[in-house]
Amino acid sequence: QVQLVESGGGLVQAGDSLRLSCAASGRTFSDYPMGWFRQAPGKERETVAAISRNGINTYYVDSVKGRFTISRDNAKNTVYLQMNSLKSEDTAVYYCAAKSTYLSGTVYVRGLDYDYWGQGTQVTVSS
């Protein structure tokens, strides 16, 4: 079992930056590929970014490429999502998730692949 707690959300203006953090506890953090997801009102959950256990491989949805960066600090048991040049369409509840796997370099894109989820943090971008 692993517990995940997101933080860093808030209300910002278009063009601003935010850094989301997801702190993990309960098991060895480096054992888990991680992902960031978001869900806007009335829309389906969307995969935003994902990172492999070893931090080498990453995935980004096209709409955030060049603006968002996912990273992890295994020593701090934390995964981050740096969000720059925020747009109103980035407004959503952002969730982090962890998947239990032995594969160190694999990135998991589908939400269905993940085993553990945080409670979410709200990001609101005003235009």
Side-chain angles (χ1 to χ4, degrees):
Q1 287 277 348
V2 63
Q3 292 77 44
L4 304 172
V5 179
E6 301 97 334
S7 61
L11 172 62
V12 296
Q13 293 186 337
D16 286 350
S17 298
L18 278 176
R19 187 176 79 159
L20 304 184
S21 299
C22 173
S25 61
R27 290 283 297 270
T28 304
F29 178 68
S30 59
D31 286 348
Y32 296 90
M34 301 294 294
W36 282 100
F37 301 81
R38 66 187 179 187
Q39 188 165 22
K43 295 188 177 181
E44 293 186 354
R45 184 180 62 198
E46 175 183 44
T47 306
V48 177
I51 190 167
S52 58
R53 282 177 54 184
N54 57 18
I56 293 176
N57 298 312
T58 58
Y59 162 85
Y60 298 94
V61 68
D62 285 347
S63 60
V64 308
K65 285 180 179 178
R67 299 188 298 123
F68 290 13
T69 302
I70 187 171
S71 62
R72 65 189 298 158
D73 185 337
N74 287 343
K76 294 183 177 180
N77 294 346
T78 302
V79 63
Y80 303 98
L81 185 68
Q82 177 67 43
M83 305 186 295
N84 298 329
S85 302
L86 282 161
K87 304 176 181 180
S88 57
E89 50 263 45
D90 296 319
T91 295
V93 178
Y94 283 71
Y95 301 89
C96 70
K99 173 171 176 61
S100 180
T101 181
Y102 293 106
L103 302 176
S104 62
T106 303
V107 175
Y108 294 86
V109 176
R110 300 185 313 165
L112 293 174
D113 290 331
Y114 285 80
D115 303 300
Y116 306 101
W117 292 81
Q119 83 290 348
T121 185
Q122 176 71 47
V123 172
T124 303
V125 184
S126 64
S127 57

